[in-house]
Amino acid sequence: MAPPGSTAAELVEALLAGDKRALARAISLVENDDPEGWALVREVYPKTGRAAMVGFTGPPGVGKSTLIGAIVKNARERDRDVAVLSIDPSSPFTQGALLGDRIRLADHFLDPGVFIRSMASRGSLGGLSEATLQAALLMDASGKDDVLLETVDVGQAEVDIIDHADTVVLVLMPGSGDSIQALKAGVMEIPDVIVVNKADHPLTDTMVREIRGVLSLGPKTSWRVPIVRTEAAKGEGVEEVVEKVAEHRDHIKAEGTLEERRRRNLMNEVMELATVRMRRRLDESVREDAEVQQLLDEVVARRLDPASAAAKLLERETS
Ligand SMILES: Nc1nc2c(ncn2[C@@H]2O[C@H](COP(=O)(O)OP(=O)(O)O)[C@@H](O)[C@H]2O)c(=O)[nH]1
Ligand SMILES: [Mg+2]
């Protein structure tokens, strides 16, 4: 539908119609920081906001990708269109990999209702987090019911794609003690749903008890964070994860916090992008503008203090 060489308008049309190849191509444009990619997002942005964005985070190896594979299968059984965006270079989704006992992810690759993409490269404008948000928006615009995001760990300082999830699922396994400590210390934000995967492990009960303990220390909120035990590789408990995610969504919708969350996250995104662009402009002016060079000379000669020079620089760039 949208072969290489098709016009931007054709690409937009195919993308909005849910064409997988168009979506793949659009994401590549964004990933390569191609201006056409940004233009595309600008064009389709009014059509976004419909998909349920669910983020899955947690330490490497706990089974996030496997769980997502099982959730995709579950969604397909309910006739929902799904996109997966995995930002996990350590265990990327590939056609051959991650074939659990009953989950054949390879089948999903052929299914027109499923779109799976791994991203690890970094666009130059806003870095990986912006490129991934653009990719998620494109998935949303292509009419997916669910957009599932996979990232390793939470709690980085920079704006993270996980911040754009409506529901955040923390996936752990027995022995993920570091994550419990991070939750306890407040380094990691309290997620909306906690999954303890590999629940056939004998230490599962201990793990669940520890998590309960940490959660009970936190503030009382209207949403009680459920802890779900799964064996993702066998598909066990997956249905319950899907239910809890849906319940959480209903809850924040009813409470009005979904809109609030989205507003806050998009605001952060705008600020982040504006900051990156401002920084880039300042760098350019320092490199290329003779007047700015003179300003610096004044500072070096101790005639102008750094703060006054900074104020002048900003005044020039924002006027
Ligand atoms: N025993 C067991 N292994 C699992 C389970 N779920 C996933 N795994 C395995 O754990 C490993 C890491 O899984 P993966 O989904 O790549 O983890 P991720 O790094 O969190 O995405 C793989 O070898 C999976 O087959 C489970 O429920 N039980
Ligand atoms: Mg993974």
Side-chain angles (χ1 to χ4, degrees):
M1 216 170 159
S6 58
T7 68
E10 281 167 345
L11 188 56
V12 167
E13 196 185 322
L15 176 77
L16 292 177
D19 181 68
K20 266 174 97 161
R21 279 196 302 161
L23 179 56
R25 184 150 165 257
I27 292 176
S28 295
L29 290 172
V30 157
E31 203 170 17
N32 298 330
D33 205 13
D34 189 315
E36 209 192 307
W38 294 91
L40 206 63
V41 174
R42 187 162 61 229
E43 190 85 8
V44 303
Y45 186 69
K47 303 267 195 250
T48 61
R50 240 199 74 236
M53 292 243 188
V54 185
F56 296 81
T57 187
V62 295
K64 297 178 296 297
S65 300
T66 312
L67 178 66
I68 290 171
I71 290 173
V72 168
K73 182 169 179 279
N74 179 291
R76 292 309 290 148
E77 283 160 7
R78 291 175 298 124
D79 232 7
R80 289 176 75 84
D81 280 8
V82 200
V84 178
L85 181 58
S86 176
I87 308 121
D88 178 1
S90 69
S91 66
F93 279 98
T94 54
Q95 302 231 7
L98 298 171
L99 303 185
D101 287 348
R102 283 193 259 151
I103 302 140
R104 295 174 32 85
L105 205 66
D107 291 346
H108 295 327
F109 279 96
L110 300 172
D111 182 343
V114 179
F115 182 92
I116 297 174
R117 179 76 170 233
S118 293
M119 260 174 113
S121 62
R122 199 167 274 275
S124 69
L125 179 59
L128 181 62
S129 59
E130 270 68 36
T132 51
L133 175 64
Q134 309 300 311
L137 288 171
L138 290 167
M139 289 172 163
D140 186 341
S142 82
K144 298 298 173 201
D145 299 302
D146 301 307
V147 175
L148 311 179
L149 310 163
E150 176 185 358
T151 66
V152 182
D153 267 329
V154 279
Q156 288 100 338
E158 64 169 319
V159 178
D160 196 333
I161 184 67
I162 204 81
D163 293 333
H164 289 275
D166 303 324
T167 301
V168 174
V169 180
L170 174 63
V171 186
L172 301 173
M173 63 183 224
S176 304
D178 290 354
S179 301
I180 306 231
Q181 289 311 317
L183 276 174
K184 207 173 192 168
V187 178
M188 193 190 278
E189 253 185 83
I190 301 293
D192 304 306
V193 176
I194 296 179
V195 169
V196 179
N197 189 40
K198 309 197 186 183
D200 52 328
H201 193 282
L203 285 176
T204 305
D205 288 342
T206 314
M207 179 81 184
V208 170
R209 227 175 299 126
E210 277 181 61
I211 298 170
R212 283 236 171 79
V214 172
L215 291 179
S216 69
L217 298 174
K220 287 271 166 291
T221 49
S222 59
W223 172 253
R224 242 183 118 241
V225 178
I227 305 170
V228 185
R229 298 159 197 243
T230 59
E231 277 181 66
K234 291 187 190 159
E236 309 256 348
V238 172
E239 182 95 44
E240 198 187 340
V241 176
V242 170
E243 274 166 25
K244 293 301 175 193
V245 166
E247 270 174 38
H248 176 259
R249 189 174 183 76
D250 291 344
H251 174 82
I252 56 174
K253 262 188 176 164
E255 208 186 38
T257 37
L258 175 59
E259 284 311 307
E260 228 172 80
R261 263 185 201 223
R262 287 185 163 185
R263 187 180 176 80
R264 186 195 56 209
N265 294 336
L266 289 170
M267 185 69 213
N268 284 339
E269 189 64 30
V270 172
M271 292 300 286
E272 180 75 6
L273 283 172
T275 305
V276 170
R277 284 175 193 216
M278 193 67 203
R279 170 83 210 194
R280 185 186 263 187
R281 256 166 69 181
L282 288 172
D283 284 341
E284 266 166 26
S285 71
V286 169
R287 264 201 320 273
E288 291 158 15
D289 194 320
E291 272 182 48
V292 176
Q293 290 297 335
Q294 275 170 18
L295 205 62
L296 273 180
D297 292 343
E298 290 293 297
V299 177
V300 174
R302 311 275 157 179
R303 284 191 291 269
L304 184 68
D305 68 288
S308 304
K312 284 195 173 181
L313 189 61
L314 270 180
E315 211 175 284
R316 286 170 49 96
E317 286 307 317
T318 52
S319 58

